[in-house]
Amino acid sequence: MVYTFLGPEGTFTEAALLQVPGAEEAVRIPSSSVNAALEMVRSGHANAAVVPIENSVEGGVSATLDAISVGQPLRILREILVPITFVLAVRPGMELADIRRVSTHSHAWAQCRNWAEANIPQAEYIPSSSTAAAAVGLTDGDSGFDAAICAPLVAARLGLNVIARGIGDYAEAVTRFILVSLPGLLPEPTGADKTTVVIPLPEDRPGALMEILEHFTARGVNLSRIESRPTGAFLGDYFFSIDADGHVFDARVADALKGLHRVSPGLRFLGSYPRADYRRPEVLPHTSDQAFEAADQWLESLING
Ligand SMILES: O=C(O)C(=O)Cc1ccccc1
């Protein structure tokens, strides 16, 4: 098994990958961006990739939401939650007041913004492809910045000085990652599952979003995430990226997807997979598999006399 992840070594994404059973013994290849990681999977150079998709402070990771929503189809096999703690790492001898430029991943910056404004207000932010890439950059004297916001472990591994710990503005910050592969067998339903779909807004008319939502509501399917993303085609053209409670093997979810496909035939199914928090949805009696089965039988009896 070959895995790839948003690298280099020491990213939070690598920490997420290491939670996948068997990953520790498998081949793990760092990629320099989310797109590069997904391309490794699409081209068959890796069996699966781990990429960040959402965090509790900054919301969806646009690079991932967009990259999995278009192009050669991919499937989400599982989600992984990682609690995040950040440190400020510098080269030996550097003090807080000396820092002119600080580099990190944009989502890490968003999560440490208040701390940075209060403690290093003079520092300019330099975006980096990941927290670990920023830390590695510090070790080559020519990086153009003098501090990195990264994970404690990567700072220690690289022998950097940590001059502030726990600098995230939200102590409970969690990032959600996904394991992605080419389409294949679906993970078995566990009773605590999630289904991810991408739905192009069918037409720019009043009630179009409501029409999409009604297909979930009518089947008692709860949504745990809904985000609109621009398609890039023209201003005002959007798709919706949605996580729904349940597995496509659940009759209520399958029925909702069938209804949605009629409204928006460009709908893309990105997978049904176990929830990382094991939370089971409440299924109302009239939306259970048995209720759908009974309704099918009733209709059949009408038709067959
Ligand atoms: O840059 C990293 O280490 C990542 O894995 C991406 C990221 C950045 C900030 C919070 C969570 C994940």
Side-chain angles (χ1 to χ4, degrees):
M1 189 76 179
V2 177
Y3 290 103
T4 187
F5 60 96
L6 172 67
E9 277 175 24
T11 57
F12 294 108
T13 311
E14 188 191 29
L17 170 56
L18 290 171
Q19 284 189 30
V20 174
E24 226 159 321
E25 301 78 49
V27 179
R28 301 186 302 275
I29 304 173
S31 287
S32 58
S33 67
V34 166
N35 267 322
L38 298 180
E39 193 44 43
M40 288 274 288
V41 174
R42 286 183 165 127
S43 63
H45 289 95
N47 303 103
V50 174
V51 289
I53 188 158
E54 182 185 18
N55 78 65
S56 54
V57 179
E58 185 63 359
V61 179
S62 313
T64 303
L65 289 173
D66 295 348
I68 59 173
S69 302
V70 297
Q72 192 187 334
L74 292 167
R75 285 281 166 77
I76 303 172
L77 297 178
R78 63 186 292 154
E79 61 172 6
I80 306 140
L81 300 178
V82 178
I84 303 285
T85 31
F86 299 105
V87 298
L88 187 74
V90 293
R91 293 188 205 97
M94 175 72 67
E95 307 275 337
L96 275 186
D98 305 330
I99 296 171
R100 293 279 157 265
R101 293 201 176 90
V102 56
S103 183
T104 193
H105 187 276
S106 59
H107 274 243
W109 182 243
Q111 291 179 57
C112 300
R113 202 172 276 141
N114 296 343
W115 182 90
E117 269 167 22
N119 295 280
I120 46 170
Q122 76 285 359
E124 181 191 348
Y125 166 57
I126 311 289
S128 173
S129 56
S130 71
T131 55
V136 171
L138 267 190
T139 61
D140 84 48
D142 219 14
S143 59
F145 49 88
D146 30 40
I149 294 175
C150 60
L153 202 63
V154 77
R157 253 195 236 160
L158 294 170
L160 295 167
N161 269 17
V162 170
I163 54 170
R165 293 181 183 276
I167 64 171
D169 299 328
Y170 300 85
E172 307 292 311
V174 171
T175 296
R176 196 161 65 84
F177 298 82
I178 49 172
L179 178 70
V180 175
S181 75
L182 291 178
L185 288 181
L186 291 173
E188 286 295 315
T190 64
D193 306 288
K194 221 177 227 189
T195 291
T196 302
V197 286
V198 172
I199 309 176
L201 197 59
E203 255 179 77
D204 193 10
R205 58 180 153 75
L209 173 59
M210 185 74 96
E211 215 172 299
I212 289 176
L213 297 180
E214 273 169 353
H215 282 278
F216 292 108
T217 315
R219 279 87 173 186
V221 177
N222 184 50
L223 303 186
S224 56
R225 183 183 61 86
I226 173 163
E227 272 165 285
S228 66
R229 292 288 310 149
T231 64
F234 54 88
L235 205 58
D237 194 30
Y238 285 95
F239 65 81
F240 288 90
S241 175
I242 290 176
D243 286 349
D245 286 355
H247 195 287
V248 68
F249 290 175
D250 296 328
R252 67 187 186 287
V253 176
D255 209 53
L257 296 191
K258 280 201 291 187
L260 285 162
H261 189 267
R262 284 187 279 108
V263 182
S264 183
L267 178 150
R268 184 181 277 227
F269 172 74
L270 282 178
S272 290
Y273 50 93
R275 287 181 70 106
D277 61 8
Y278 306 108
R279 218 176 60 218
R280 301 171 87 87
E282 187 197 348
V283 182
L284 302 171
H286 69 279
T287 63
S288 66
D289 282 0
Q290 293 77 359
F292 274 92
E293 176 69 28
D296 282 346
Q297 281 174 9
W298 170 76
L299 193 67
E300 215 168 294
S301 71
L302 289 185
I303 293 166
N304 297 333

